[in-house]
Amino acid sequence: MNTTRPRVELLPIFEDNYVFLLIDDDTQEAVVIDPGEASKVMTYLNEHGLTLKGVLITHHHKDHIAGVRPLIEKYPAPVFAPMKNKSQIPDGQFWVQEGDEIDLGSMHFSVMELPGHTLGHVAFWNDDLKWLFSGDVLFGLGCGRLFEGTYEQMYNSLQRIKNLPPETLIYCTHEYTEMNLQFCKMLSSLDDSPITGDDEDLEMYENQLLNLRGINMPSVPLKLAIETKVNPFLLAHSLEQFTYLRELRNKQ
Ligand SMILES: [Fe+2]
């Protein structure tokens, strides 16, 4: 019988990506999310004697999928990827969409479709742990760029994240929080700032962020309860305001 909770290992790759390994130490099984590169994952699996139970893909961008083939050649495992990206993810095996449930050993996920960054973007929700593996939808103090979707799609996707339980931890794929902090500070310095958040909350966030990053610790996972107080894209209370903020951020 399982006695411990799964844990998440963050493997930094490229300049600012994270690959997530969800690990059940009781069963020595792991699930990997968005392996943009395989070598660090393979080293970790090998060194810790873990069995790979599955690969989850949030969207088709190369920095999320390029490691899938070398990984599954060495560690065969089912690959779950968004149905709407079927033609763009050559190594996908099982195509998932909104509401699908995935069971991999002791680990369970339900699929949320969150379009905007890309049209087919999905996130993987673990309801037992209140963990969301959200790819490039929400970032610390920011959100993903709109490469394919509309402002309305992205706004609605962010609203869905905002409505998850407040204790939710968000595992987003990029370490962008410090960069996004500069945008937030610029916003709060504007005379007619559209942001309704409290400056003290942002200051507290900044202190914690700088402490973490100062010792090279990730700002991920994000705490939803905190992010909803300071992230301008979650504070936006209308599609119009979200669009204005996203356009402003694009110019930076
Ligand atoms: Fe992306």
Side-chain angles (χ1 to χ4, degrees):
M1 193 181 119
N2 273 358
T3 50
T4 51
R5 286 155 58 96
R7 62 188 171 86
V8 182
E9 193 68 34
L10 277 67
L11 304 177
I13 59 163
F14 309 136
E15 229 164 81
D16 48 36
N17 284 59
Y18 293 120
V19 176
F20 301 114
L21 261 181
L22 188 51
I23 299 161
D24 182 329
D25 284 311
D26 285 339
T27 59
Q28 294 280 288
E29 292 171 343
V31 171
V32 66
I33 295 128
D34 285 352
E37 195 241 25
S39 64
K40 279 196 180 176
V41 179
M42 293 198 284
T43 301
Y44 195 96
L45 293 172
N46 184 36
E47 281 179 357
H48 294 82
L50 298 170
T51 304
L52 186 63
K53 288 295 284 183
V55 180
L56 306 180
I57 302 296
T58 62
H59 66 293
H60 65 83
H61 286 161
K62 221 175 170 184
D63 60 322
H64 296 249
I65 66 170
V68 173
R69 189 168 302 172
L71 182 61
I72 59 170
E73 275 172 5
K74 194 140 184 241
Y75 294 88
V79 180
F80 299 83
M83 174 86 84
K84 288 178 181 154
N85 286 140
K86 203 169 176 177
S87 61
Q88 293 147 303
I89 303 180
D91 298 304
Q93 299 166 2
F94 298 93
W95 304 103
V96 298
Q97 54 191 331
E98 178 68 32
D100 283 351
E101 302 284 334
I102 302 169
D103 284 322
L104 297 168
S106 64
M107 295 172 269
H108 313 285
F109 306 89
S110 46
V111 176
M112 293 171 72
E113 290 188 1
L114 299 177
H117 178 69
T118 64
L119 286 173
H121 201 300
V122 299
F124 299 97
W125 169 245
N126 183 305
D127 191 54
D128 298 330
L129 300 162
K130 309 290 185 247
W131 289 350
L132 184 72
F133 296 91
S134 59
D136 291 354
V137 180
L138 181 74
F139 294 125
L141 301 175
C143 73
R145 282 183 187 277
L146 281 75
F147 285 111
E148 297 172 10
T150 63
Y151 288 100
E152 188 173 9
Q153 284 175 322
M154 190 58 142
Y155 178 68
N156 291 337
S157 293
L158 291 169
Q159 292 299 305
R160 289 192 68 193
I161 292 180
K162 191 176 172 176
N163 289 324
L164 291 171
E167 65 268 35
T168 296
L169 295 180
I170 311 274
Y171 289 87
C172 60
T173 310
H174 290 276
E175 184 60 67
Y176 285 160
T177 317
E178 283 167 295
M179 188 173 62
N180 290 333
L181 174 68
Q182 301 313 315
F183 177 66
C184 291
K185 288 168 95 167
M186 185 280 287
L187 275 182
S188 62
S189 73
L190 296 175
D191 287 339
D192 57 345
S193 175
I195 292 303
T196 52
D198 192 324
D199 279 350
E200 274 182 31
D201 288 330
L202 189 61
E203 266 172 47
M204 212 185 300
Y205 191 107
E206 178 177 10
N207 287 338
Q208 287 173 359
L209 174 67
L210 297 184
N211 284 339
L212 280 173
R213 301 300 296 144
I215 52 171
N216 209 23
M217 293 281 287
S219 67
V220 177
L222 312 172
K223 295 183 174 74
L224 183 61
I226 294 175
E227 211 60 38
T228 50
K229 287 185 185 173
V230 290
N231 187 317
F233 300 97
L234 294 179
L235 287 167
H237 48 69
S238 66
L239 172 60
E240 291 68 31
Q241 198 178 46
F242 169 75
T243 303
Y244 169 79
L245 288 169
R246 188 59 254 184
E247 283 179 346
L248 200 60
R249 180 69 181 83
N250 290 347
K251 289 181 196 144
Q252 284 215 317

